[in-house]
């Protein structure tokens, strides 16, 4: 197959190029490639051509809570959003916290996925050696320093330190950096404002601890969903001292503030919370220092969200809306599309060691997204393929529509239709 004359965007440049795909792989990229006899030609001169996005932070609820999402609906939403690889978090039921649970989860989802996928391994107080023994089969470890959805939690120094020293040092430990003791203190005050109930201070305390231990142990640390100015200052300072720390932001925190949580009430509840305008602006100001954009796609049903504030679970869906929102940010001049590709493709591949994935590179999987850059539409709940069926961004006008998505050379999504069958998504292989 030859994708001809598209406006090809990578982290390096934007250029009009031809891309040849053989089987599942990109075999040639050049300003002009002559089609071979009988070769399928896709005319893309009116299209942006992007590498398939990698969402390195999703919660697909499978196994355990299929009423919110399962691996088919989650990956379907991903595909429609131009995301061809997802890394799924371990707070499923059972949690992905042992080799047996990892094997069980892999078998359980294998027949459901329509995009490629990998898993995080969940840290507990006691699974230190077991985590290290499966490191080569997962994208990273996830360590919850503060409680959120599910039961995974590690707050004591000793297990944190032991995980940091025992898990392979070059394999990232991703931390949910909110400090449990302070969350309990503020959470116990009966506040209804989520940014006060789980304040920036809690993030600062937890992140300071994580960075100090990473510095001492020389290990790689990945900070999930940074949301505050102070965290970004801490990360910058740590890096200047040579600490190996990378960090993520979510579209939720890039595009919304605590005012949106007040408007959306429980539907805008997420851990860590939507923050102040100042904090949100800091995320954009420090954008150069941010390594990855991951959605924290965390679907909950309307019924669950409609409960009283204290009972309503935290989290919002997002895997389908990340690329559209970032296209908007690019067309409004807030960020360069190359910089988006770097954070949604190039850097996640490097950080998590995703072996066969690339940013439209020869020899790598042909995961390719074709976009009509001029088509305008408005995001709506009924477009969402996630089982939860809502988006906090309903009503947002988007410029740029995802038209076709190729997964390893196969046309998997075409103008609103999923063409591939459940099970066509494959487990990722890791280079470290
Ligand atoms: O708001 C959140 N929801 N934060 C998390 O850390 C977990 C997630 C979920 O799984 O619902
Ligand atoms: Zn999460």
């Amino acid at each position: 197959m030859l994708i001809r004359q598209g406006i090809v965007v990578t982290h390096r440049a934007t250029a009009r190029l031809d891309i040849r795909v053989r089987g599942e792989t990109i075999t040639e990229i050049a300003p002009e490639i002559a089609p071979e006899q009988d070769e399928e030609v896709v005319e893309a001169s009116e299209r942006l051509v992007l590498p398939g996005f990698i969402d390195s932070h999703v919660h697909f609820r499978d196994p355990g809570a299929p009423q919110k999402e399962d691996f088919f609906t989650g990956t379907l939403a991903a595909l429609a959003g131009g995301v061809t690889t997802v890394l799924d978090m371990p707070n499923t039921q059972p949690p992905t916290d042992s080799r047996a649970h990892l094997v069980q989860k892999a078998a359980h989802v294998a027949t459901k996925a329509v995009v490629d996928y990998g898993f995080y391994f969940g840290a507990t107080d006691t699974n230190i050696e077991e985590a290290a023994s499966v490191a080569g089969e997962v994208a990273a470890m996830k360590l919850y320093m503060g409680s959120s959805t599910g039961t995974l939690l590690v707050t004591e120094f000793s297990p944190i330190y032991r995980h940091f020293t025992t898990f392979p040092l070059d394999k990232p430990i991703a931390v949910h950096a909110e400090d449990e003791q302070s969350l309990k203190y503020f959470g116990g005050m009966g506040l209804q404002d989520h940014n006060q109930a789980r304040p920036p201070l809690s993030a600062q305390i937890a992140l300071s601890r994580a960075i100090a231990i990473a510095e001492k142990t020389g290990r790689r640390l990945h900070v999930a969903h940074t949301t505050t100015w102070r965290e970004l200052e801490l990360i910058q300072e740590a890096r200047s001292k040579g600490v190996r720390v990378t960090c993520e932001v979510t579209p939720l925190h890039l595009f919304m503030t605590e005012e949106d949580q007040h408007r959306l009430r429980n539907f805008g509840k997420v851990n860590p919370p939507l923050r102040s305008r100042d904090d949100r602006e800091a995320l954009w100001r420090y954008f150069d220092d941010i390594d990855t954009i991951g959605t924290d796609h965390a679907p909950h049903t309307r019924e669950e969200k409609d409960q009283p504030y204290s009972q309503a679970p935290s989290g919002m869906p997002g895997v389908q809306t990340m690329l559209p929102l970032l296209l908007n940010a690019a067309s409004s001049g807030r960020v360069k599309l190359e910089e988006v590709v770097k954070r949604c493709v190039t850097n996640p591949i490097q950080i998590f060691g995703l072996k066969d994935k690339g940013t439209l590179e020869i020899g790598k999987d042909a995961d390719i997204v074709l976009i009509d850059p001029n088509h305008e539409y408005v995001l709506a709940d009924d477009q969402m393929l996630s089982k939860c069926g809502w988006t906090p961004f309903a009503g947002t006008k988007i410029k740029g529509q995802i038209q076709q998505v190729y997964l390893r050379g196969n046309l998997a999504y075409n103008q609103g239709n999923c063409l591939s069958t459940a099970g066509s998504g494959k487990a990722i292989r890791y280079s470290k």
Side-chain angles (χ1 to χ4, degrees), residues 57-59 61 89-91 142 144 148 176 224-225 248 250 270-272 295-298 315:
H57 189 156
V58 303
H59 299 267
R61 312 299 188 202
M89 285 294 171
N91 60 338
K142 177 70 178 289
Y144 282 88
S148 193
H176 180 117
H225 40 47
E248 170 197 72
T250 78
V270 58
N271 304 330
T295 65
D296 202 358
H297 176 86

Side-chain angles (χ1 to χ4, degrees), residues 239-250:
R239 281 187 177 145
S240 71
K241 290 190 290 189
V243 184
R244 298 199 294 163
V245 50
T246 52
C247 68
E248 170 197 72
V249 290
T250 78

Side-chain angles (χ1 to χ4, degrees), residues 156-168:
E156 295 300 307
F157 177 81
S158 152
I160 295 176
Y161 187 78
R162 289 174 61 215
H163 275 302
F164 273 41
T165 49
T166 310
F167 200 65

Side-chain angles (χ1 to χ4, degrees), residues 192-211:
Q192 297 273 310
D193 180 315
H194 207 51
N195 191 23
Q196 288 181 35
R198 298 177 75 112
L201 175 63
S202 300
Q204 183 185 342
I205 294 170
L207 184 56
S208 307
R209 270 180 102 199
I211 285 176

Side-chain angles (χ1 to χ4, degrees), residues 90 95-106 118-124 127-142 163 166-168 171-172 352 428-432:
T96 319
D97 60 358
S98 67
R99 178 176 285 280
H101 287 163
L102 178 66
V103 169
Q104 191 184 326
K105 180 173 182 173
F119 304 122
Y120 284 79
F121 191 84
T124 70
N127 66 1
I128 291 132
E129 273 76 32
E130 192 154 12
S133 81
V134 299
E137 293 151 59
V138 295
M141 171 186 288
K142 177 70 178 289
H163 275 302
T166 310
F167 200 65
K171 191 102 187 170
F352 299 102
I428 286 287
R429 299 192 302 158
Y430 303 98
S431 60
K432 56 186 163 195

